[in-house]
Amino acid sequence: MPKVSICIPTYNRANLLPYAVNSVLHQTYTDFELLICDDGSTDATLEVVSQWKDSRIRYIRHPVNIKRSKNMRSGFEAACGDYFIKFDDDDALTPEFLEKTVAVLDANPDVDFVCTNHWIINPAGEREEAATLANAAKWGKDKLPAGVIPNLVHETFVRQSLQVGSTLFRKACLDEVDFMRFEADGCEDFDLLVRLAIAGKQGYFLPEYLMEYRMHGGQNSLRQSIHFLRAKLFCLNSYHFDESDVERQRIKKAAGLKQDLALRLIEKGDTAEGRQLLQEANQVLGTSNRAKAGLVLSYLPESLRQVAFNLFRQVRAKDYAEQVRQVQASS
């Protein structure tokens, strides 16, 4: 049986999938199986996968789209290795990722998973050094020392500094927390890491840049944003932390998510629910200028609301992620 199971869930990304798959096939550590989980793609994914004749590849093709979380779960349930990693079909592992992360788990039987740092790559697949450093600083990875992570709840929930796609897990610890929750669809990675921390698992940080995370051009649709915010709010409402300071932060973060969701709903035209969520958020956060503006916009006709929201997006300062996404694939 293979030591490591690698899962790449995919959907209609025949143009990007080879980048991810080839990064696995070029690993310096070779005792692995690669599960490509195809969520009912309607593009040329089947033809692309057929080009690889490597016996370590297992292709799981769903005849219809079963949605992101269930597709990920299918790969996990089919995995045979003691160690497991899932990463997206537009990302990649650097050649020594498995060699170095497997070595950590082999040498530290009490460690449940090892997370590495990662590069930011633009839509053209080029590494963005400035964005990579900004990302590490934003999530606190630049201050996280190598070795066993002393406060996993703080790193996964408060700072959100770890990433599933750059992490090798013992499959047994994922079995214990039931891997991905379908209700967390869209923020499964965050939810998994927090639940591992709550369960008392032990993580290890390897500060080397051993994975590539791609930032795409364009923006998420309003529907996608609402779906993500609802899922993350579900996650936060399902947690409880014994440490009072972290529990207070959970309540505050949930209120902030309610405010964000309220504004998206008001923009979409779901006015009553948006106003209700603003009211609930205000009870925790107080009435901010942002909430006041959202309430005022809720009384405008929907067409004018969308103009106002779009104008705000255009004038506000863009962070490093938005700047990377503006790089065109043709550059």
Side-chain angles (χ1 to χ4, degrees):
M1 304 298 288
K3 184 69 169 285
V4 181
S5 294
I6 303 164
C7 175
I8 302 179
T10 189
Y11 178 64
N12 283 346
R13 279 186 171 164
N15 61 321
L16 292 172
L17 184 60
Y19 192 82
V21 171
N22 287 326
S23 79
V24 176
L25 299 181
H26 293 152
Q27 289 294 300
T28 56
Y29 181 93
T30 59
D31 187 10
F32 63 80
E33 63 173 353
L34 170 59
L35 300 105
I36 302 172
C37 301
D38 183 357
D39 197 11
S41 293
T42 57
D43 64 359
T45 295
L46 176 61
E47 290 76 12
V48 168
V49 173
S50 66
Q51 72 179 297
W52 293 297
K53 307 302 180 184
D54 195 311
S55 61
R56 295 170 297 180
I57 295 177
R58 296 165 61 192
Y59 182 43
I60 301 172
R61 179 176 171 84
H62 302 290
V64 296
N65 187 273
I66 61 174
K67 303 304 180 185
R68 175 187 170 96
S69 293
K70 291 182 179 179
N71 189 36
M72 293 178 187
R73 184 63 178 247
S74 70
F76 177 74
E77 291 175 345
C80 299
D82 292 330
Y83 301 159
F84 180 85
I85 178 175
K86 182 276 299 180
F87 72 96
D88 290 339
D89 55 3
D90 56 340
D91 298 333
L93 304 178
T94 64
E96 294 184 323
F97 177 89
L98 288 181
E99 180 182 343
K100 294 190 174 183
T101 55
V102 166
V104 171
L105 292 183
D106 284 349
N108 298 274
D110 293 333
V111 169
D112 296 291
F113 61 87
V114 53
C115 180
T116 76
N117 219 324
H118 64 271
W119 290 96
I120 298 295
I121 60 175
N122 63 33
E126 301 161 338
R127 291 179 178 178
E128 295 277 354
E129 186 171 354
T132 296
L133 296 175
N135 179 79
K138 177 179 180 179
W139 303 110
K141 284 194 176 92
D142 58 335
K143 296 181 177 62
L144 188 58
V148 173
I149 299 170
N151 188 335
L152 195 56
V153 167
H154 182 78
E155 295 301 333
T156 59
F157 180 75
V158 178
R159 296 173 73 174
Q160 300 182 47
S161 55
L162 308 183
Q163 186 204 38
V164 164
S166 61
T167 301
L168 184 67
F169 299 88
R170 294 189 193 276
K171 189 170 184 291
C173 80
L174 300 179
D175 282 317
E176 289 180 36
V177 298
D178 201 27
F179 192 48
M180 299 287 186
R181 294 196 292 179
F182 301 143
E183 301 92 337
D185 182 62
C187 59
E188 307 94 342
D189 292 0
F190 163 79
D191 181 53
L192 175 61
L193 290 166
V194 172
R195 290 189 296 112
L196 286 167
I198 291 173
K201 301 305 177 184
Q202 189 169 96
Y204 187 107
F205 182 62
L206 194 60
E208 295 182 58
Y209 291 86
L210 298 177
M211 183 258 190
E212 294 180 336
Y213 176 79
R214 188 185 303 262
M215 289 187 169
H216 286 280
Q219 296 177 331
N220 288 334
S221 69
L222 185 58
R223 180 187 62 81
Q224 290 172 318
S225 295
I226 290 173
H227 178 82
F228 170 79
L229 290 168
R230 287 195 190 280
K232 193 161 187 181
L233 188 57
F234 160 81
C235 295
L236 264 65
N237 287 335
S238 73
Y239 306 147
H240 177 78
F241 299 101
D242 294 332
E243 189 178 340
S244 59
D245 179 60
V246 180
E247 180 62 11
R248 283 193 296 270
Q249 291 190 57
R250 181 193 69 81
I251 294 170
K252 187 174 180 179
K253 283 176 179 283
L257 280 174
K258 284 184 178 180
Q259 185 180 90
D260 291 342
L261 178 57
L263 295 174
R264 300 298 188 279
L265 290 170
I266 288 170
E267 182 179 2
K268 180 174 178 285
D270 294 337
T271 306
E273 185 181 2
R275 290 173 182 167
Q276 176 62 36
L277 287 172
L278 276 181
Q279 183 178 4
E280 293 175 14
N282 290 345
Q283 291 174 358
V284 176
L285 303 173
T287 306
S288 65
N289 290 333
R290 190 164 179 254
K292 291 177 182 177
L295 186 61
V296 170
L297 290 174
S298 74
Y299 289 96
L300 295 177
E302 289 181 30
S303 59
L304 291 180
R305 294 182 202 177
Q306 292 172 2
V307 170
F309 279 107
N310 287 332
L311 181 61
F312 169 74
R313 294 188 184 101
Q314 291 173 13
V315 300
R316 68 182 173 84
K318 292 181 172 60
D319 66 7
Y320 72 90
E322 292 169 304
Q323 293 170 13
V324 171
R325 290 188 176 104
Q326 288 181 338
V327 176
Q328 297 301 310
S330 59
S331 63

